[in-house]
Every structure is written in C-alpha cells, then in structure tokens.
Amino acid sequence: MLGYVATRSVYALAVVFGVSIAVFFLIRIGGDPSALFLAPEASLEEIVRFRHQMGFDRPILLQYVDFLSRAVRGDFGLSLRYDQPAMQLVLERMPATLALSAAALGISLLISVPLAILAASYRGSLIDRIGLLISLVGQSFPTFWLAIMLILIFSERLHWLPPSGGGSWQNLIMPALALAAYSTAIITRLLRSSMIEVLQSDYIRTARGKGVSNAGIVLKHALRNAAIPTLTVVGLQVGALLGGAVITEEIFAYPGIGRLAIQAIDNRDFTVVQAFVFLTAVLIVGINLTVDLCYGLLDPRLRKR
Amino acid sequence: MSTPVLEIRNLKTYFASDRGEVRAVDGVSLHVDAGETLGVVGESGSGKSVTSLSVMRLIASPPGRYADGEILFEGRDILKLDKAAMRDLRGNRLSMIFQEPMTSLNPVFTVGAQIAEAIMLHQHLPRPAAFARAIDMLRLVNIPAPERRAHEFPHQLSGGMRQRVMIAMALSCNPKLLIADEPTTALDVTIQAQILDLMRRLRAELGMAIMLITHDLGIVAEMCDRVVVMYGGRIVEEADVISLFDNPLHPYSEGLLASIPRIDEDVEQLYAIEGSVPDPADRSEGCAFAPRCRYAFERCRSETPVLSPIADGRKAACFLAGERLTRPAVEQVLS
C-alpha cells in the first residue's frame, strides 16, 4: 500500500511540474509579455524599463527557474490591478468556490447514488424511467441555461432566493443546483449501469445462494464493486465542478475564484490568471491523487502493485 | 428405504424468450436420499443447471418461471415458501457450489469474511466467533495456513483454492443437501482429483447428501451412487452407477459412455454422438433424441416415450429399453 501511495504521489508531482511549465509559457506564447502588461501607447523607454524590472530580458530558462522557485513558495507576483500578491487574491476567494463545489457534489451524490441503486434494482420500473429522464435532462441542458431558468423561477417569480451575490447559504443554493445537474446525470447513469452489470455477476449469485437478503446483496455485495468504476467519474466530476464554477459564478455574480479569473482576464491581470490556473491545476491533481488512493481502499486487487 | 432429502416431482421450469417459451426443464422427477450422491449428467443445454438452480430457487423471474411441479426438501415444497423462509434454507440446510470458482467469490471481501457471512446469517454468531469458525472451515477443506488465508482476498488464491473456499462456504452451516454444479470443470485434472477426494471425505464426515451436476462420466463413476441422465430438459434414464456403466438402456446414455476416451484402447478417432442438442424452443412430436439416435424407428418420431420402470431401480424413456435390458454387452453392439 505504501509503495502504491508513493508511486501515485510521484506521478502527481510530475503533473504539477508540467503545469508549472504550461503556466509559465502561457503568457510567453504570444511573444514578449510586456505588450500584454503595458498599455499600447507605452514608450520604448518604458517598455525597456519594464522588461528589465520584470526580468524579461534575461535568458528564458533562468526566468523559468526563477518563476518556479517563487511559485513553490506561493509567490506569483503582484496583481497588476489590485497591487496585492496574486496568490493571496485567489486564496481569499477560494473558500467560496470550495463551498460551491462541495455543495454541488453533495447534491449530485445525494440524488444520484440512491437513484442509481433503485433504478438498477428495479430495472425497467417507474423509478428506473425517472432516473433515465433525470440523467437525460441533466446531461442535455447547458449549465448557463439552467442557471438562468433557476433565477427566473426562484428569484424573479417566487422571490424565494437572491439572484446574485455571496456570503450566505441562500446564495449558495441556486448556483450549486445549476452546477450539480450535469454531474448528477453522469453519476446516475454510470452507477446504474455498473450496478446492473455487477448484479448479474457470479459472486452475486453466490451471495444469494448463501441466503443474503436483497438489501444485503445490493448495498453490501454489489454497491462496493459498482463504486469502483464510478469513483473515476466522481473524481473527474470534481475537477469539472471546479472548472464549471467559472461560468456559474459569473452568472450568479458569486464571489469565487472563477469570477475572479474572468475579471482578471478582462483586466489583463496575468499574474492573477497564472495563480488561478496553477492553483486550480494543483487542486485537480490533488483530487485525482485522492481518487487513486481511494481505489486502493475500495479494490484490494490494486493494493499489491 | 430412507425418506428422501430432496424429491422433485414433475418440475417444469420455463423461460420466456423472443422465440416463445423455452422449456429448459420439462417434467423432471428425481429424488436424493439422505447421505447419497446422485449424479445428474447430460450435455450442455440438457437442463441440468436449470434443475439445480430451480432447487435453490435462484432462477431469475422474469424471464424464468416455475410452470409446474413440486420440489420437496425435507418434506416441504420449497416452491411454496416465501422469500424469507427460502433465504433461511439457502446456504444453511441447502447449499450449492457453483461452476466458476474464479468469478464466484466477491473480489472486494476477504475469503474469511465471505465464509463468516453465511455463519453469521444462519447461526447468528457474533462476527469474531463466525470468523473463527470460517478459519476452522478453511482447515477442514485442507487450506494450508488457514489463519493467514482467511485474511486474503480471492485474487490472492489459485483456482483450486477458491473452489475449496466455495466448498468451505457451502458446508459452513452443515447442509443436509449439497448441490455441486460442475464443481471441477474449470480446474485442471490434478486439482480436480483433490477436490473430488475432498468432497468424498467431507460427505463421509458430515453425512450430507450430494446432488452432483456434471457432464463428466468419469466423475460420476468415482463419486455417485445413482445417476440420472438428462436430455432436452427431461430425464431419459435413471439407474445405479454400476448398472448404467454396465448396460445403458437409453441410446443417449450409451452414446455418452461410448464418448469416454479409453486408456486401454488405441483408436484413430474418438466416438461422438452425431448432431447436437435439440433447440429447446422447438417442441415437435416424438422422442427428442430420435434425430440423433442410431436405433430410432417410426414410433420414436411420432410418440414421446415416457420415463418408466424397466427393472429394479432402473428407469428409461425409450421404447427399446425392455429388449436392451437383456441384450449382449454394449461393446458388441457398438463395434
């Protein structure tokens, strides 16, 4: 098990290293980054001074080493707009986004897991059809459309929930629902089909042959096995939730990192964009690592590697 | 004669399919006495496995249904039991070993926990006591280092070991009847011999009856007291092992026996029964074996022979069975 953890962690570090390269070269792809930072009417003298000040006149490898050594300490430079450390700005908005993603994930799991179990156990029944309908709807309606519909119904029409802003649990409900729809659909469909497959396997027949009750068959023997392929998708969905938060936060004017990133792009505040991309990437790598480790817990066959 | 542990009367298990109803088991009657081993033989598709799964009531419904008949286990018709009462029987007084040891154990639980589960369910022991009993069971089926093995997962065990685990699980609550559905088919011959030895030993030690489903007549000769031969969802012959091997009354049994390769004879080509098992969805008049039978005549194609007593303890569903009983030895007929 320890070897498994070590291998996975090394892979994760390698990915983070790759991300650092991508983030660094992101703003250098289009040539000299000074053009991005300075106003178009800046004089040659100003450009030269800025290039020297930012170190853009040094060899590129040296610049990267410098960037990396500061990045590992969390230093991405100052935000050009707010004059504050870029990473600090992103981190300040992080809790709001984490709360949104966690709420969305919670909602999808609370709906999809019981729904998938019931649908698979009573295949072809009314509950199975409802499950299929929910996954069809959740998968085909775009998040922004759902978000707007939610605002129209619950804010404009019913006045139950605030249409925008952050800071209270009421502000969390609609963005979380809009964000959860897609993951709910995906997880329901996948868990349902894995459950159906597992329920037909030989070891389920063995369990029935032992006299295990239906509930025991489904919840103990089948669910744990069906959870293994589903876990991959749940992990990927957590990443997608973080990414999807960008649009959802913008629609609901929710003060998370996604909204900050969009504003930073508008303002050409590239240090903030770099900090945002890097942090999000590290988070997603961290989630994937957690998923990999959970595999080992769920599936004993993976432990001896 | 003792009262049978299991008595099946005119069992009919049908399956719904796109091509109409498939009569997988079509009027099977048999009995297994206490402490006895009954062999059920036949080709794939003859209805052996469906018969055994019917006794466990493990036929999925739909598409399957028990169209008719009774399955009396210790005198009670289990087809009339409710689900809870049936669960009480399964893995307890009535248990089963399945064909595929590689896939019949749950990959995410230790083998000890899987054996202990049945013990906890039926003997209501607390987990530690059940686990200790599971280790005893592993020792009983000759698994070396049972304390360590009990904590291992199925993928850490070989096929033969897994089948031993399956046997340990099936026997953990001292069943009165063990149904073994091709218990050694997936294993190589040396392991096969070990598993059969083990089953013989445990039968003697625990005094249970065994219903052994197999297509391997060698196993029947080694293990069984009596045999029923199934063909096309019906029993075509029933006899004690010695009589059957000595003089098979049904031409199908004769063909099965002739198909066994013999070590003392050098032949160019092994014998095989021509043709294949009839399509179970197709039910035409006459004996189901007639199209493949070398002795078939007019009557066989228009009238279905019923299983009837031919001699003491012998039954056959063949119009020629009576005269075949008194004929010269089989070898002469076949050569």
Side-chain angles (χ1 to χ4, degrees):
Chain A
M1 188 70 197
L2 218 71
Y4 180 75
V5 176
T7 338
R8 293 287 134 188
S9 307
V10 169
Y11 287 158
L13 272 179
V15 174
V16 171
F17 180 69
V19 167
S20 77
I21 295 177
V23 168
F24 174 76
F25 286 101
L26 192 68
I27 61 162
R28 284 162 180 81
I29 287 170
D32 188 346
S34 311
L36 294 166
F37 288 93
L38 295 175
E41 58 274 14
S43 69
L44 192 65
E45 197 178 86
E46 277 176 316
I47 293 176
V48 170
R49 184 155 19 94
F50 182 76
R51 279 172 57 90
H52 184 72
Q53 183 193 332
M54 298 298 280
F56 292 156
D57 50 356
R58 296 160 64 212
I60 192 124
L61 266 177
L62 223 63
Q63 287 185 49
Y64 173 69
V65 171
D66 194 40
F67 165 81
L68 190 65
S69 72
R70 283 188 293 119
V72 293
R73 283 172 277 149
D75 178 6
F76 284 81
L78 292 182
S79 155
L80 300 176
R81 187 180 167 90
Y82 299 101
D83 223 24
Q84 279 177 344
M87 188 46 101
Q88 189 193 321
L89 276 171
V90 178
L91 284 175
E92 276 169 11
R93 302 283 197 97
M94 200 68 212
T97 297
L98 287 182
L100 176 58
S101 304
L105 182 69
I107 291 171
S108 4
L109 289 179
L110 276 178
I111 297 173
S112 60
V113 174
L115 194 60
I117 290 173
L118 286 171
S121 313
Y122 303 100
R123 207 174 153 190
S125 68
L126 185 66
I127 184 85
D128 190 17
R129 274 149 219 239
I130 292 172
L132 284 175
L133 185 72
I134 288 181
S135 33
L136 186 71
V137 168
Q139 247 181 317
S140 35
F141 289 169
T143 309
F144 69 84
W145 184 86
L146 267 177
I148 293 167
M149 287 303 124
L150 285 171
I151 294 175
L152 276 177
I153 296 168
F154 294 104
S155 303
E156 297 299 315
R157 195 64 54 85
L158 299 167
H159 300 287
W160 286 356
L161 293 165
S164 64
S168 72
W169 63 268
Q170 288 98 328
N171 287 115
L172 200 58
I173 295 176
M174 287 198 297
L177 277 175
L179 199 51
Y182 188 74
S183 326
T184 308
I186 296 275
I187 299 171
T188 306
R189 275 184 47 168
L190 190 80
L191 186 58
R192 174 187 174 270
S193 60
S194 337
M195 280 293 280
I196 286 174
E197 200 189 311
V198 167
L199 283 171
Q200 286 164 349
S201 56
D202 288 346
Y203 54 83
I204 294 298
R205 190 182 57 187
T206 307
R208 287 194 201 284
K210 268 196 283 191
V212 178
S213 67
N214 242 337
I217 296 278
V218 170
L219 297 177
K220 186 179 168 193
H221 286 268
L223 186 58
R224 176 116 178 237
N225 282 286
I228 295 166
T230 312
L231 186 67
T232 319
V233 167
V234 173
L236 290 173
Q237 283 307 308
V238 176
L241 287 177
L242 281 170
V246 174
I247 297 166
T248 316
E249 286 177 7
E250 188 59 21
I251 296 172
F252 290 97
Y254 183 86
I257 56 167
R259 187 142 199 268
L260 178 74
I262 287 183
Q263 287 167 343
I265 291 166
D266 280 348
N267 298 327
R268 299 172 153 204
D269 198 346
F270 267 82
T271 50
V272 174
V273 174
Q274 278 183 320
F276 164 79
V277 172
F278 191 77
L279 189 68
T280 313
V282 168
L283 262 177
I284 290 176
V285 169
I287 289 158
N288 287 340
L289 179 63
T290 316
V291 167
D292 280 348
L293 298 184
C294 287
Y295 271 140
L297 289 180
L298 273 182
D299 191 345
R301 284 163 295 190
L302 293 174
R303 280 176 218 165
K304 295 261 169 174
R305 288 275 164 86
Chain B
M1 202 174 114
S2 52
T3 44
V5 179
L6 177 76
E7 187 173 6
I8 300 177
R9 289 181 190 157
N10 194 31
L11 176 69
K12 294 184 178 176
T13 308
Y14 295 170
F15 290 88
S17 83
D18 301 338
R19 297 173 304 143
E21 199 155 49
V22 173
R23 303 178 172 191
V25 172
D26 196 15
V28 161
S29 301
L30 58 82
H31 66 96
V32 186
D33 294 330
E36 176 192 48
T37 301
L38 175 76
V40 180
V41 295
E43 285 165 280
S44 310
S46 60
K48 326 182 286 284
S49 286
V50 175
T51 305
S52 60
L53 289 171
S54 298
V55 175
M56 292 296 284
R57 281 219 354 227
L58 287 175
I59 299 289
S61 169
R65 73 186 177 98
Y66 304 104
D68 196 10
E70 288 176 327
I71 300 174
L72 303 172
F73 177 70
E74 297 184 314
R76 276 195 300 175
D77 185 1
I78 60 170
L79 291 180
K80 294 202 174 77
L81 293 180
D82 63 23
K83 282 182 180 172
M86 195 58 222
R87 277 203 302 273
D88 272 349
L89 275 185
R90 281 191 206 125
N92 193 8
R93 304 178 65 74
L94 176 61
S95 70
M96 182 158 178
I97 309 171
F98 298 97
Q99 210 174 110
E100 282 296 330
M102 301 312 275
T103 52
S104 290
L105 289 166
N106 196 324
V108 303
F109 298 113
T110 62
V111 295
Q114 293 188 54
I115 300 171
E117 188 179 22
I119 301 167
M120 279 153 51
L121 274 171
H122 298 300
Q123 305 189 342
H124 310 287
L125 288 178
R127 188 177 294 271
F131 203 86
R133 175 131 169 77
I135 293 173
D136 290 342
M137 290 309 298
L138 289 175
R139 191 174 294 119
L140 184 74
V141 296
N142 292 343
I143 287 191
E147 291 85 0
R148 181 169 61 84
R149 289 294 185 182
H151 292 281
E152 292 191 343
F153 291 93
H155 72 277
Q156 292 167 292
L157 306 180
S158 66
M161 289 272 219
R162 290 189 210 185
Q163 196 59 297
R164 282 163 201 266
V165 170
M166 290 298 294
I167 294 174
M169 190 188 292
L171 301 186
S172 60
C173 298
N174 294 323
K176 286 288 152 231
L177 175 67
L178 175 70
I179 300 173
D181 185 0
E182 309 258 8
T184 57
T185 304
L187 306 172
D188 63 62
V189 275
T190 40
I191 308 297
Q192 249 183 40
Q194 291 174 14
I195 297 286
L196 292 176
D197 271 348
L198 174 71
M199 286 178 61
R200 258 198 306 261
R201 196 194 91 210
L202 294 174
R203 176 185 57 190
E205 278 175 30
L206 307 174
M208 63 196 168
I210 299 177
M211 182 168 147
L212 182 65
I213 317 303
T214 183
H215 63 267
D216 186 338
L217 286 161
I219 293 176
V220 169
E222 263 186 80
M223 295 285 295
C224 301
D225 303 309
R226 279 190 311 119
V227 197
V228 298
V229 180
M230 284 190 73
Y231 189 79
R234 291 186 181 159
I235 292 177
V236 293
E237 180 159 4
E238 181 182 333
D240 63 280
V241 171
I242 294 170
S243 311
L244 183 86
F245 276 73
D246 207 33
N247 182 15
L249 294 183
H250 197 282
Y252 179 61
S253 316
E254 180 183 298
L256 282 181
L257 284 168
S259 312
I260 307 176
R262 292 183 59 154
I263 200 160
D264 57 346
E265 273 174 24
D266 211 3
V267 288
E268 283 291 306
Q269 204 175 359
L270 294 173
Y271 177 80
I273 306 173
E274 296 281 319
S276 55
V277 182
D279 182 350
D282 163 47
R283 285 290 157 182
S284 36
E285 278 299 293
C287 173
F289 188 61
R292 301 172 75 186
C293 182
R294 56 158 76 190
Y295 309 107
F297 58 106
E298 282 316 286
R299 194 179 168 201
C300 304
R301 294 182 187 91
S302 56
E303 192 183 329
T304 310
V306 289
L307 187 69
S308 34
I310 307 294
D312 188 28
R314 300 203 67 173
K315 289 179 187 170
C318 178
F319 299 123
L320 296 173
E323 54 188 88
R324 287 166 65 86
L325 185 67
T326 50
R327 75 194 153 141
V330 183
E331 276 81 3
Q332 292 163 20
V333 180
L334 275 180
S335 55

